[in-house]
Amino acid sequence: MTKLNKSLSPEHEYLGATKSVAYGLQHVLTMYGGIVAPPLIIGTAAGLNAAQIGLLIAAALFVGGLATILQTIGVKYIGAQLPLVQGVSFAGVATMVAIVTTGGGLPAVYGAVIVASLIGFFLAPYFSKIIRFFPPVVTGSVITIIGLSLLPVAVRWMMGGNKTAPNWGSIENISLALLTLAIVIGLNMLQSPTMRRLSILVSIILGTCIAYILGFGDFSHITNGAWIQAPSVFAFGLPVFEFTAILSMLIVTLVIMTETTADIIAVGEIVGTKVDAERIAAGLRADMLSSAAAPILGSFMQSAFAQNVGLVAITGIKSRFVVAAGGGILVILGLLPIMGRLIAAIPFPVLGGAGLVLFGTVAASGIRTLAKVDYNEQKNLIIVATSIAAGMIPIIDYSFFINFPKWVQTLFHSGISSTCIMAILLNLLFNHLPSSKRKSVTKNKILQEAHH
């Protein structure tokens, strides 16, 4: 991997154990809902009981922590060494549920994840070459849509997190979320840099305490069940390798690699550090290697978490060692189910109030990148407008692609992948095809002649 000047690159700064753990805990709280949701959905679809679903969730936390440490600390050729949190990807949930419910069961899911991830691992150095097709007009569009695509998650959290609950969208839920949001804003008005950086963590803690006092949430199950439990190897049976399942997961793998590439570029922009093809390849290898190993302990395909990119932006804490500490906390949570139950008890509206700022910050970072684009060039305006609009389609109405083939639905399931694909294609069309290059040369000649 390309050697970086570690004295100048902010991601290599070590803040000390205490600060690293505190800031790392912020990352865990930010992504906790996202990392436990996929195993919950897949386990329910597989007909598992509550105890078995608990094992899936514990495995997701444990493997996500190990994957995060691998991505942030890294070894030779593996790991982007950037503040990126890893966890079970949402991109493959629909596909894995389909495999589970069509008779393959969890063993077929695990077999498909292993094979598809190994293929992705060997594709990483070739896939990373697309970095040259990511100028600011593309990266800005992708980073902006990452934030916009996450905002509906924050809104659902603000409303209660569960549409079937009787208090969904209640004034109480939204008021609690707005109170948490107000705490975040208030803390960011303080003179203390430390309090501003810890604003998300402190707001979630204070919001949870207020929720407890007011009778929100259910904290009664925290002490129920085992306190310490290690993940089991192949707890749900040995993997089964089915061709159709593997093919489906391979499409998902390409989507995840696209999204992870976008996240690596996004966090590189925010941190202000160099991101080249070698670094992207190292990040993708960590993604795919952890994904291939995940089924051994009962987890699923891993991916970088976009919501944590927002936390890096809003706190200004760019150290990869902070995120590595967050990975360590995830590993501990995977071994201590009681701690997982404690964090799981945090009311969704509290997370929603903090998430509104976090995810909006990602979009703002994208807008800042788009400010570098020359809009006097009509083609740049078209690329940005069309890419963001295309990314908004699955956000506005997820059923837009429902009558398309399954692979199309998988490819364009999220606004991130839709924008990424559209922006790359339009950038190729306008800036890399021979005809577009000839037009650019002709225009430059005309401008030079007019200047002289």
Side-chain angles (χ1 to χ4, degrees):
M1 196 173 121
T2 303
K3 287 186 178 179
L4 301 169
N5 188 336
K6 298 194 175 186
S7 64
L8 297 179
S9 299
E11 72 272 24
H12 299 301
E13 181 186 3
Y14 179 62
L15 304 179
T18 303
K19 288 184 177 180
S20 295
V21 170
Y23 295 137
L25 182 58
Q26 282 195 129
H27 279 283
V28 172
L29 294 176
T30 300
M31 53 83 74
Y32 189 86
I35 198 172
V36 301
L40 182 62
I41 295 168
I42 297 166
T44 303
L48 302 183
N49 58 39
Q52 291 172 318
I53 292 175
L55 288 176
L56 282 184
I57 292 174
L61 294 168
F62 187 80
V63 173
L66 293 178
T68 298
I69 293 170
L70 178 63
Q71 186 70 273
T72 53
I73 302 302
V75 294
K76 192 173 184 180
Y77 303 122
I78 300 175
Q81 295 187 337
L82 285 168
L84 286 166
V85 176
Q86 300 288 120
V88 178
S89 173
F90 248 109
V93 169
T95 301
M96 288 187 280
V97 167
I99 295 170
V100 164
T101 54
T102 52
L106 283 176
V109 170
Y110 290 139
V113 169
I114 290 171
V115 175
S117 300
L118 289 175
I119 293 172
F121 180 87
F122 291 108
L123 285 177
Y126 306 102
F127 198 89
S128 66
K129 301 298 182 184
I130 65 174
I131 182 64
R132 70 189 189 93
F133 301 121
F134 278 83
V137 70
V138 174
T139 58
S141 299
V142 173
I143 297 168
T144 301
I145 208 68
I146 287 174
L148 295 178
S149 67
L150 289 168
L151 284 173
V153 176
V155 172
R156 287 193 293 271
W157 285 350
M158 292 175 74
M159 297 177 73
N162 182 5
K163 283 187 176 182
T164 61
N167 65 342
W168 167 258
S170 67
I171 293 176
E172 291 80 8
N173 279 346
I174 295 174
S175 297
L176 179 59
L178 292 177
L179 179 59
T180 307
L181 173 61
I183 295 172
V184 175
I185 295 171
L187 290 172
N188 277 281
M189 294 176 68
L190 298 177
Q191 294 297 318
S192 169
T194 301
M195 288 307 297
R196 291 200 299 269
R197 289 170 175 173
L198 285 171
S199 60
I200 299 300
L201 174 61
V202 174
S203 66
I204 291 174
I205 293 172
L206 290 178
T208 302
C209 291
I210 293 169
Y212 178 75
I213 294 170
L214 297 176
F216 277 84
D218 184 4
F219 299 90
S220 62
H221 300 296
I222 293 174
T223 56
N224 293 346
W227 286 42
I228 302 175
Q229 187 173 2
S232 302
V233 175
F234 293 126
F236 299 95
L238 294 173
V240 174
F241 303 98
E242 297 180 355
F243 178 75
T244 53
I246 292 169
L247 192 61
S248 298
M249 284 308 300
L250 187 56
I251 296 171
V252 171
T253 300
L254 295 176
V255 173
I256 289 174
M257 292 175 76
T258 302
E259 293 184 356
T260 297
T261 299
D263 289 334
I264 292 172
I265 292 171
V267 82
E269 287 271 348
I270 291 167
V271 169
T273 191
K274 182 181 178 182
V275 173
D276 53 17
E278 285 93 347
R279 199 165 202 181
I280 290 175
L284 292 175
R285 287 192 192 98
D287 224 21
M288 294 295 105
L289 184 62
S290 56
S291 295
I296 297 173
L297 295 175
S299 194
F300 308 101
M301 190 161 277
Q302 303 292 298
S303 173
F305 268 47
Q307 53 262 52
N308 291 83
V309 175
L311 189 58
V312 174
I314 194 171
T315 62
I317 302 298
K318 302 170 182 178
S319 169
R320 61 191 173 99
F321 299 107
V322 164
V323 177
I329 293 171
L330 286 174
V331 170
I332 293 171
L333 290 177
L335 296 172
L336 299 174
I338 185 172
M339 294 301 297
R341 292 193 293 271
L342 175 62
I343 294 180
I346 296 172
F348 277 110
V350 172
L351 295 174
L356 202 67
V357 180
L358 283 175
F359 306 156
T361 303
V362 180
S365 297
I367 293 169
R368 183 173 58 189
T369 302
L370 288 174
K372 303 174 185 176
V373 176
D374 181 10
Y375 291 103
N376 291 321
E377 293 272 3
Q378 178 72 10
K379 60 184 180 181
N380 288 336
L381 190 63
I382 295 297
I383 293 171
V384 173
T386 308
S387 301
I388 292 179
M392 289 300 297
I393 290 173
I395 299 172
I396 295 169
D397 192 341
Y398 189 79
S399 64
F400 185 87
F401 297 105
I402 197 167
N403 292 316
F404 285 74
K406 196 70 180 177
W407 67 269
V408 174
Q409 295 180 43
T410 302
L411 203 57
F412 296 99
H413 82 288
S414 77
I416 300 171
S417 56
S418 298
T419 294
C420 200
I421 292 167
M422 181 64 73
I424 291 172
L425 291 177
L426 289 178
N427 183 51
L428 284 171
L429 178 65
F430 283 112
N431 295 317
H432 291 274
L433 292 181
S435 59
S436 64
K437 288 183 178 179
R438 283 197 298 271
K439 288 178 183 177
S440 179
V441 170
T442 304
K443 183 177 179 181
N444 288 335
K445 285 183 178 180
I446 293 171
L447 289 174
Q448 289 173 2
E449 290 171 1
H451 178 71
H452 291 304

